[in-house]
Amino acid sequence: MKSLSFFFFFIFIISVFPFLCFSFNPESPTDRRVLVLLDDFSLKYSHSIFFNSLKSRCLNLEFKLSDDPSLSLQRYGQYLYDALILFCPSTKKFGGSLDLTAVIDFVDSGHDLILAADSTASDLIKNIATECGVDFDEDSSAMVIDHKSYAISGTEGDHSLIVSDDFIQSGAILGKTKIEAPVLFKGIAHSVNSANSLVLKVLSASPSAYSANPESKLLNPPLLTGSAISLVSVVQARNNARIMIAGSLDLFSNRLLRTAVQKAGSQDKYHKSGNEQFVTEISKWVFHERGHLKAVNLRHLRVGETDEPAMYRIKDDLKFSVEIHEWSGKNWEPYVADDVQVQFYMMSSYVLKTLSTNGKGLYLASFKVPDVYGVFQFKVDYHRLGYTSLSLSKQIPVRPFRHNEYERFITTAFPYYGASFTMMAGFFIFSILFLYNK
Amino acid sequence: MTTVTNMPLSDLLKSFKLKTKQQELLIRVSILCLVYILAFITRLFSVLRYESMIHEFDPYFNYRTTLYLTQNGFYDFWNWFDYESWYPLGRIVGGTLYPGLMVTAVLIYRILHFLRFAVHIREVCVLTAPFFASNTTLVAYFFGKEIWDTGAGLVAAILIAICPGYISRSVAGSYDNEGVAIFALLFTFYLFVKAVNTGSLAWSLASAFGYFYMVSAWGGYVFIINLIPLYVLVLLITGRYSMRLYVAYNCMYVLGMLLAMQIRFVGFQHVQSGEHMAAMGVFFLMQVFYFLDWVKHMLSDTKLFQAFLRITVTCAVVVGTIALGLGMLSGYISPWTGRFYSLLDPTYAKDHIPIIASVSEHQPTAWSSFMFDYHILLFLFPAGLYFCFKRLSDATIFIVMYGLTSMYFAGVMVRLILVATPAVCLISAIAVSATVKNLTVLLRSKNKGVLTGSTKGSSSSRASSKALLDQSQPFQKNGAIALLFGAFYLLSKYATHCTWVTSEAYSSPSIVLAARGAHGNRVIFDDYREAYFWLRQNTPVDAKVMSWWDYGYQITAMGNRTVIVDNNTWNNTHIATVGRALSSYEDEAIEIMRSLDVDYVLVVFGGVTGYSSDDINKFLWMVRIGGGVFPVIKEPDYLVNGEYRVDKGAAPKMLNCLMYKLCYYRFGEMLTEYGKPPGYDRARGVEIGNKDIKLEHLEEAFTTSNWIVRIYKVKPPNNRW
């Protein structure tokens, strides 16, 4: 009896074990743990709408102060969280074992990050952003100011609460429904590093914006101006970790989420700003609830066979198939697109074919192996804005004909065969005559 | 040597009361047996010193293919497409190698297994070359007997058994084509000379099969197919044309050609390439000659024949030239290859084909290496030629021509000393045998009754018809004795030299390095195998390793990993791409390496041990070969005032190119020699110029215990950039 209970306990441990591995599980990315670091627990209440929307989507939030001495992202080499939200712009030093490298390693091992700064942003927070390809304005007192597209509010003359509706055109990142109301933003500017090809501006400032200290007189022309200023940027790393960097912590606050908005010089008045929709949709993207693709079952077959060959012969006919699915937040659904291509590649692509889909996630193509031998690769490189990058490659050697695979008799060579055989016969007859005809 | 062994033997033989002829046979057979064994065991130094292992570079490929042949059978071997080398192009192994060696080894292996000797194929491979060297001594004996007499044959067998020029390519473990090819070469020549001497169709047929074996074993068969026509041509010109020659050559050429075309690597080249045209030309010339002979026989009128001769010869020459010209123009007859040109013009490779010039064994031969490989044979060779000219026959003309042409080629390329060795041994053997015989005849002429037991003398007295020396010369006998002792002294010197050279110079496997330690003890550097074993154990199965082509065969054979280029240098562009990657800056190199899917980079570095044939010393060749295809790589960028340096005064491009960085990474911190600054390169004897090396796209994966092999891993692209 005791051993039986022990056995059940063992089974329980085994079945729980997958949940103990907290890293992002691409097969069932639910029940994810998110660590939220705050400067002050009051943020928990001032930003409660945003946090509640996360909680409602099956994310387990764990709030901690950023200087909590017990802070640690991993234990025994296992990461305890799947994502990190840094709502602690003024933190100069994290508590516990957390530091810049720990955060970067967390991202590099495939975990997600949301980082919000504001005018009090410390060097630590700025450095994390720099590591991700986003450079905040070096002037610590500067804010984004826009004298044309600011939000009309009670206090006239404060043009640092700006409105922006310059969104990135991507359904994958911001959702299918268009964000009608502009987004209110009060915070600092950043620019994206041109050397980084992975960072995207999701929300840009209007051309009339600039970054300067609103309190003092502008002596020099501002370094960051116009649409070079990014307000919110995202990065999708090569290992598909997703990062969002916002120059404003207020962007997520209940206050701005609930505020009515009217852009200066515009008659359109919205009773609620676009912030709620914006932050909800973008957090869905960051937490892989949209735009997350997986490609499985990459198969190739010689036409008429059922087993995958280890090697092809030149001029073989083959069938190639791959399944692509998208994570909908709850389960994997077939991904439907008409622009997925496969390459048959050896130093350059020999065959490039658009795959046809059956609408259930299966993509198919069939083609003839080129008349070139070598080590080829089936390559599917699918990079679409906001979607997970798919770079599949499968190596497959292509051999020339074997000695007995050539045609035995070629019609055009019949004169040659004739000549050979008559020569042989003639020689035979000649020998007989020569030897025995005295 | 023989005279010495005769003395105690003759006493022994007397008691058995054998007839002189039987005694001679017994001595001859026992000498041959001893020589056979000697030739085998003198090549075993490397096995005793190190272990039963395959040596150097090419033998590893041969071993790998042999292993494949034993495991998969002949048809799979014949059709083998190897995708582990020349990534991503692959190599059709079955069609690009000479299968003779592998088939021979597997045949021996099968026979041994049939006889219930459960040996591993590696042991067979290791001992194939010594076994064939032993067989070569037998062939040398018969060849010597054919061109001169049994004495010369015996001496030739002894000389070739220990000649360093041959041993260099046939020690145990040197499992290379040349190992069996020299046997095949000499055997073919012997059979052909035999066919010319006898005019027998059977011998000629045998020589055609010998030629087939040679073609299957080594690319050097081109030498045979050019030397034999040349020889025939010389015989025709010197008026030694005979029916025997006609039968021997025609049968050998026609059958040999048909057989050679069965080897996939040769195929239609045998009738289409420029290198083989001489043989075909001589074949047709032979027919014209025969036809003219027949016409001459039919026509009694000399004047008429003269006119006919003139017309026929002009017609034949015109038709031949037109055919050759048309063939060349239409591309049906391929022009001579670069390798062939470089044989005729030693400077050709240096200017046009750096990839050939870069190989050390393709360099022109230094005098010292002639001395090293031939020792006294170098002086006996002219003497032998003198004897050959004194007794000209079809056979001696052949050996003279073989000797002279191969000596020329030996001067052009170091590795071709090997081809010249049998000829040098045979001609020297004639010199030794003839001299010793003349001297013993002189000795015996005075006291014939005393030396009855000397079988050698008796046979020679019968053979030599001329009394060479004037009977009236004073101190004749003493002089002869002194000369005999001199000859004995020289020959024993030769034997000691050969043994010393074999044990010191030619028995190193070059994959395991040995050096003398501070206390005179032997230090073994087994870094190569350490590195390859690491690759085999620690890298993914489909990992691609980039290295300079020298190490390609070893990486595939021992490391079992895919390589970009290897020692089969068939694609110059691919090698140049690797050369370009290694001589570029790191961020340019990474683009090339990514395009070739390189996972690991392997370099060989001798700065710690003082091993001088490392990649830094080979580096200028990489630059030259890379620059030959990609002109962005310029040799002067790596030199300072035409000087190649790695210290502070080195060219900036040199100090920052990938090869420099990979070799000297973290070397600046290392103290290699007492009393020298850190980062002191022992192979070049300088302190390196760039000690602070940072790698951006690569990371050190493995460095062997003596730093000889360093392996770097190509990092994946930056995650966030």
Side-chain angles (χ1 to χ4, degrees):
Chain A
M1 190 63 207
K2 195 178 177 185
S3 65
L4 195 70
S5 66
F6 185 79
F7 176 75
F8 277 119
F9 177 71
F10 185 69
I11 291 293
F12 171 69
I13 289 293
I14 289 290
S15 54
V16 158
F17 194 73
F19 302 103
L20 296 175
C21 306
F22 295 114
S23 59
F24 174 66
N25 181 357
E27 285 308 312
S28 65
T30 50
D31 294 321
R32 309 182 59 210
R33 296 198 158 198
V34 182
L35 176 66
V36 186
L37 293 186
L38 307 169
D39 277 336
D40 183 344
F41 275 131
S42 64
L43 276 173
K44 220 165 141 180
Y45 307 104
S46 63
H47 291 61
S48 60
I49 299 175
F50 175 65
F51 291 135
N52 285 336
S53 91
L54 295 184
K55 278 180 193 162
S56 69
R57 303 204 313 261
C58 295
L59 291 159
N60 299 324
L61 300 188
E62 191 173 330
F63 295 95
K64 278 190 178 168
L65 282 178
S66 59
D67 52 0
D68 188 333
S70 66
L71 221 51
S72 175
L73 288 176
Q74 54 179 331
R75 187 188 295 153
Y76 308 128
Q78 293 282 335
Y79 277 105
L80 301 169
Y81 308 100
D82 302 306
L84 181 63
I85 297 177
L86 293 179
F87 277 0
C88 50
S90 58
T91 307
K92 291 199 169 53
K93 193 172 180 302
F94 293 120
S97 64
L98 200 62
D99 59 0
L100 172 68
T101 28
V103 173
I104 294 305
D105 287 346
F106 182 71
V107 171
D108 283 348
S109 50
H111 301 94
D112 308 323
L113 172 70
I114 293 178
L115 183 146
D118 64 8
S119 52
T120 62
S122 66
D123 283 348
L124 175 67
I125 297 296
K126 285 182 176 176
N127 286 342
I128 293 174
T130 309
E131 285 290 327
C132 301
V134 163
D135 298 320
F136 279 109
D137 193 344
E138 281 171 22
D139 185 356
S140 58
S141 53
M143 291 182 83
V144 190
I145 304 171
D146 197 330
H147 296 303
K148 286 188 82 179
S149 55
Y150 55 91
I152 294 172
S153 59
T155 49
E156 180 53 39
D158 180 17
H159 293 169
S160 62
L161 179 66
I162 63 166
V163 295
S164 172
D165 50 6
D166 189 2
F167 303 112
I168 192 170
Q169 297 304 311
S170 164
I173 297 175
L174 292 181
K176 294 274 185 294
T177 42
K178 193 171 177 290
I179 302 175
E180 296 291 341
V183 169
L184 284 168
F185 182 92
K186 187 184 178 71
I188 57 175
H190 66 254
S191 61
V192 299
N193 194 324
S194 57
N196 190 331
S197 57
L198 298 172
V199 62
L200 299 169
K201 283 198 278 191
V202 176
L203 186 65
S204 313
S206 75
S208 57
Y210 66 97
S211 171
N213 186 352
E215 307 291 318
S216 65
K217 211 174 164 190
L218 201 58
L219 296 171
N220 299 316
L223 289 169
L224 285 173
T225 55
S227 28
I229 295 178
S230 173
L231 305 175
V232 178
S233 300
V234 293
V235 181
Q236 179 166 263
R238 289 187 204 278
N239 61 359
N240 291 322
R242 288 176 176 176
I243 304 163
M244 171 172 67
I245 292 164
S248 164
L249 183 55
D250 289 343
L251 184 75
F252 305 90
S253 69
N254 294 356
R255 193 170 60 82
L256 291 191
L257 257 58
R258 290 282 176 254
T259 311
V261 59
Q262 185 182 5
K263 190 176 170 181
S266 164
Q267 293 308 310
D268 298 335
K269 193 166 182 177
Y270 302 92
H271 71 281
K272 198 177 141 196
S273 71
N275 284 35
E276 182 169 6
Q277 194 188 350
F278 179 75
V279 297
T280 314
E281 293 300 328
I282 203 165
S283 70
K284 278 185 184 168
W285 181 82
V286 171
F287 295 124
H288 295 271
E289 286 161 46
R290 196 171 41 234
H292 185 88
L293 302 178
K294 71 164 182 183
V296 289
N297 291 340
L298 194 155
R299 282 170 196 282
H300 52 88
L301 286 174
R302 200 174 274 143
V303 170
E305 288 182 12
T306 48
D307 290 330
E308 194 167 287
M311 192 186 259
Y312 283 105
R313 195 193 66 191
I314 54 172
K315 295 179 180 173
D316 266 349
D317 289 303
L318 66 84
K319 276 197 279 193
F320 173 85
S321 68
V322 65
E323 283 176 37
I324 302 179
H325 299 283
E326 186 183 5
W327 179 249
S328 67
K330 292 179 191 68
N331 49 4
W332 290 104
E333 284 176 0
Y335 176 70
V336 182
D338 57 357
D339 54 356
V340 188
Q341 291 182 318
V342 63
Q343 294 177 69
F344 201 55
Y345 181 93
M346 180 180 76
M347 299 219 275
S348 62
S349 113
Y350 279 77
V351 174
L352 177 64
K353 276 212 113 167
T354 306
L355 295 163
S356 59
T357 177
N358 65 352
K360 288 174 187 161
L362 184 70
Y363 287 79
L364 277 168
S366 55
F367 55 89
K368 202 182 209 39
V369 176
D371 191 5
V372 179
Y373 58 82
V375 183
F376 280 82
Q377 284 171 344
F378 291 107
K379 267 195 176 190
V380 177
D381 274 323
Y382 190 68
H383 306 284
R384 291 295 176 272
L385 189 64
Y387 284 101
T388 319
S389 300
L390 294 179
S391 301
L392 309 175
S393 67
K394 192 166 191 177
Q395 183 177 312
I396 185 86
V398 173
R399 64 167 174 83
F401 286 114
R402 282 173 68 94
H403 70 283
N404 54 3
E405 283 173 341
Y406 293 97
E407 259 182 289
R408 180 65 63 160
F409 291 106
I410 312 167
T411 330
T412 44
F414 270 107
Y416 170 76
Y417 305 140
S420 309
F421 284 111
T422 44
M423 180 75 190
M424 281 195 255
F427 182 73
F428 187 68
I429 294 163
F430 174 79
S431 309
I432 290 177
L433 289 179
F434 186 79
L435 290 173
Y436 300 107
N437 189 19
K438 282 279 159 161
Chain B
M1 220 160 160
T2 47
T3 46
V4 183
T5 48
N6 284 344
M7 290 305 289
L9 269 173
S10 60
D11 293 341
L12 196 76
L13 290 174
K14 243 181 234 168
S15 58
F16 281 107
K17 296 233 166 47
L18 290 171
K19 285 185 194 127
T20 326
K21 230 177 174 174
Q22 290 170 314
Q23 289 174 7
E24 197 205 332
L25 183 73
L26 185 64
I27 288 174
R28 209 163 61 202
V29 168
S30 43
I31 288 175
L32 277 178
C33 286
L34 288 174
V35 169
Y36 194 87
I37 294 164
L38 174 71
F40 192 81
I41 58 175
T42 192
R43 286 165 169 81
L44 297 184
F45 272 112
S46 56
V47 174
L48 301 177
R49 286 273 162 76
Y50 300 92
E51 58 183 78
S52 172
M53 66 193 287
I54 308 284
H55 293 187
E56 297 198 326
F57 305 104
D58 287 19
Y60 270 97
F61 169 75
N62 298 331
Y63 173 58
R64 180 166 165 248
T65 47
T66 313
L67 206 62
Y68 190 89
L69 178 58
T70 45
Q71 285 162 355
N72 298 294
F74 187 74
Y75 278 118
D76 276 351
F77 172 71
W78 192 249
N79 291 303
W80 185 15
F81 175 69
D82 178 20
Y83 52 87
E84 289 200 338
S85 56
W86 290 93
Y87 181 85
L89 306 169
R91 174 183 176 190
I92 307 173
V93 174
T96 55
L97 52 53
Y98 293 101
L101 178 71
M102 298 89 195
V103 172
T104 309
V106 169
L107 207 64
I108 297 172
Y109 172 77
R110 291 271 148 81
I111 290 170
L112 287 174
H113 271 246
F114 178 73
L115 299 173
R116 300 296 181 267
F117 290 105
V119 290
H120 190 265
I121 183 69
R122 193 187 71 236
E123 316 296 340
V124 177
C125 293
V126 165
L127 296 178
T128 298
F131 173 62
F132 272 88
S134 293
N135 294 341
T136 310
T137 61
L138 287 188
V139 177
Y141 163 73
F142 286 111
F143 204 173
K145 193 176 154 195
E146 190 63 31
I147 55 176
W148 202 258
D149 58 15
T150 37
L154 282 178
V155 178
I158 296 165
L159 289 182
I160 205 168
I162 55 171
C163 184
Y166 185 24
I167 285 182
S168 66
R169 286 317 195 100
S170 64
V171 290
S174 172
Y175 179 56
D176 212 344
N177 291 331
E178 289 93 324
V180 298
I182 291 303
F183 165 77
L185 178 89
L186 203 61
F187 197 50
T188 312
F189 282 155
Y190 163 66
L191 291 170
F192 184 71
V193 168
K194 189 91 182 167
V196 171
N197 277 349
T198 57
S200 142
L201 209 54
W203 284 115
S204 181
L205 187 67
S207 81
F209 275 99
Y211 176 66
F212 172 61
Y213 185 58
M214 176 69 190
V215 176
S216 77
W218 194 35
Y221 76 89
V222 177
F223 180 61
I224 298 186
I225 205 62
N226 282 299
L227 179 65
I228 287 183
L230 191 68
Y231 164 67
V232 171
L233 200 64
V234 167
L235 287 192
L236 290 184
I237 289 168
T238 52
R240 284 175 170 271
Y241 170 78
S242 63
M243 204 56 203
R244 291 178 284 117
L245 185 68
Y246 183 82
V247 169
Y249 182 71
N250 286 334
C251 175
M252 189 266 169
Y253 175 67
V254 172
L255 277 174
M257 176 179 70
L258 287 176
L259 287 169
M261 286 171 74
Q262 309 309 309
I263 303 297
R264 262 180 94 188
F265 198 19
V266 178
F268 277 96
Q269 269 183 54
H270 208 286
V271 286
Q272 287 190 351
S273 91
E275 283 108 55
H276 303 80
M277 281 302 121
M280 190 181 273
V282 168
F283 173 71
F284 287 125
L285 192 69
M286 206 75 167
Q287 312 314 319
V288 174
F289 222 85
Y290 184 75
F291 176 65
L292 286 175
D293 224 34
W294 180 69
V295 170
K296 194 181 179 183
H297 179 69
M298 301 297 272
L299 285 177
S300 42
D301 189 358
T302 5
K303 260 217 177 111
L304 205 61
F305 176 71
Q306 288 290 331
F308 181 76
L309 180 72
R310 223 166 289 140
I311 294 166
T312 324
V313 168
T314 330
C315 284
V317 168
V318 167
V319 167
T321 325
I322 288 174
L324 196 68
L326 281 180
M328 288 285 201
L329 283 178
S330 63
Y332 190 74
I333 299 174
S334 62
W336 287 352
T337 57
R339 276 166 206 269
F340 202 73
Y341 270 123
S342 62
L343 275 181
L344 299 178
D345 173 12
T347 57
Y348 182 83
K350 209 171 180 184
D351 300 335
H352 296 92
I353 331 168
I355 203 143
I356 291 181
S358 73
V359 182
S360 64
E361 60 182 21
H362 289 163
Q363 304 298 322
T365 318
W367 268 112
S368 56
S369 55
F370 272 116
M371 202 56 217
F372 197 67
D373 279 355
Y374 289 148
H375 199 240
I376 60 161
L377 303 186
L378 208 55
F379 305 107
L380 291 174
F381 181 66
L385 285 181
Y386 164 77
F387 282 108
C388 287
F389 275 113
K390 278 199 74 170
R391 207 177 92 184
L392 272 185
S393 66
D394 289 355
T396 47
I397 289 178
F398 181 83
I399 196 69
V400 165
M401 292 196 54
Y402 174 25
L404 291 178
T405 48
S406 62
M407 261 318 229
Y408 168 73
F409 291 130
V412 174
M413 267 191 200
V414 179
R415 67 188 291 203
L416 294 181
I417 281 194
L418 180 72
V419 177
T421 304
V424 170
C425 286
L426 278 164
I427 293 174
S428 307
I430 290 171
V432 171
S433 169
T435 316
V436 170
K437 197 173 291 174
N438 288 340
L439 293 172
T440 43
V441 165
L442 208 66
L443 282 181
R444 288 158 51 82
S445 61
K446 286 275 166 72
N447 35 10
K448 226 167 195 164
V450 184
L451 281 165
T452 40
S454 172
T455 50
K456 178 104 191 51
S458 65
S459 74
S460 62
S461 67
R462 238 178 291 123
S464 71
S465 50
K466 308 161 217 164
L468 281 171
L469 290 175
D470 191 6
Q471 299 287 324
S472 61
Q473 267 180 7
F475 312 117
Q476 198 183 47
K477 203 177 144 190
N478 293 341
I481 289 173
L483 282 176
L484 267 183
F485 271 108
F488 174 71
Y489 174 75
L490 280 178
L491 287 173
S492 50
K493 269 282 162 207
Y494 172 72
T496 32
H497 171 83
C498 291
T499 316
W500 175 78
V501 166
T502 310
S503 98
E504 290 297 313
Y506 289 147
S507 291
S508 155
S510 91
I511 188 128
V512 177
L513 308 165
R516 296 263 170 230
H519 308 291
N521 52 330
R522 256 158 65 92
V523 187
I524 295 284
F525 299 134
D526 203 356
D527 286 39
Y528 279 107
R529 292 198 291 177
E530 187 186 345
Y532 299 141
F533 191 67
W534 184 87
L535 275 179
R536 185 182 270 267
Q537 297 292 319
N538 296 286
T539 58
V541 183
D542 60 348
K544 283 100 194 163
V545 184
M546 182 174 92
S547 71
W548 190 232
W549 59 265
D550 296 22
Y551 316 106
Y553 278 164
Q554 294 178 348
I555 294 171
T556 35
M558 280 188 275
N560 197 19
R561 292 295 174 266
T562 308
V563 291
I564 309 293
V565 292
D566 66 27
N567 309 44
N568 176 256
T569 52
W570 65 275
N571 189 326
N572 192 33
T573 314
H574 217 51
I575 291 181
T577 310
V578 172
R580 181 185 177 185
L582 291 171
S583 44
S584 307
Y585 294 125
E586 195 184 348
D587 41 350
E588 294 160 12
I590 191 73
E591 299 293 323
I592 301 171
M593 294 194 285
R594 292 235 167 90
S595 73
L596 290 172
D597 300 325
V598 173
D599 298 308
Y600 291 89
V601 184
L602 181 146
V603 292
V604 170
F605 172 60
V608 177
T609 48
Y611 172 54
S612 63
S613 54
D614 65 349
D615 277 347
I616 289 285
N617 281 357
K618 289 174 186 170
F619 182 60
L620 274 190
W621 287 111
M622 304 178 199
V623 173
R624 270 174 216 153
I625 292 168
V629 177
F630 304 103
V632 283
I633 304 291
K634 293 183 197 73
E635 194 180 336
D637 292 350
Y638 300 85
L639 302 174
V640 179
N641 300 328
E643 203 185 340
Y644 180 61
R645 345 178 23 168
V646 295
D647 57 356
K648 277 205 175 61
K653 182 131 197 204
M654 177 71 207
L655 291 178
N656 288 298
C657 68
L658 185 68
M659 179 51 84
Y660 192 95
K661 279 181 149 186
L662 296 187
C663 281
Y664 290 121
Y665 181 63
R666 295 201 300 122
F667 184 66
E669 309 156 14
M670 195 190 193
L671 209 61
T672 51
E673 213 166 299
Y674 181 73
K676 292 283 195 296
Y680 178 77
D681 184 333
R682 293 178 67 188
R684 281 151 288 273
V686 287
E687 186 186 347
I688 60 166
N690 183 0
K691 289 189 184 176
D692 183 34
I693 292 170
K694 298 254 184 318
L695 290 173
E696 199 184 332
H697 303 291
L698 293 128
E699 60 188 356
E700 188 179 6
F702 184 68
T703 295
T704 55
S705 46
N706 297 301
W707 287 50
I708 289 180
V709 184
R710 311 195 68 183
I711 300 171
Y712 292 84
K713 189 180 192 315
V714 178
K715 282 194 216 165
N718 194 315
N719 190 30
R720 283 164 280 113
W721 289 79

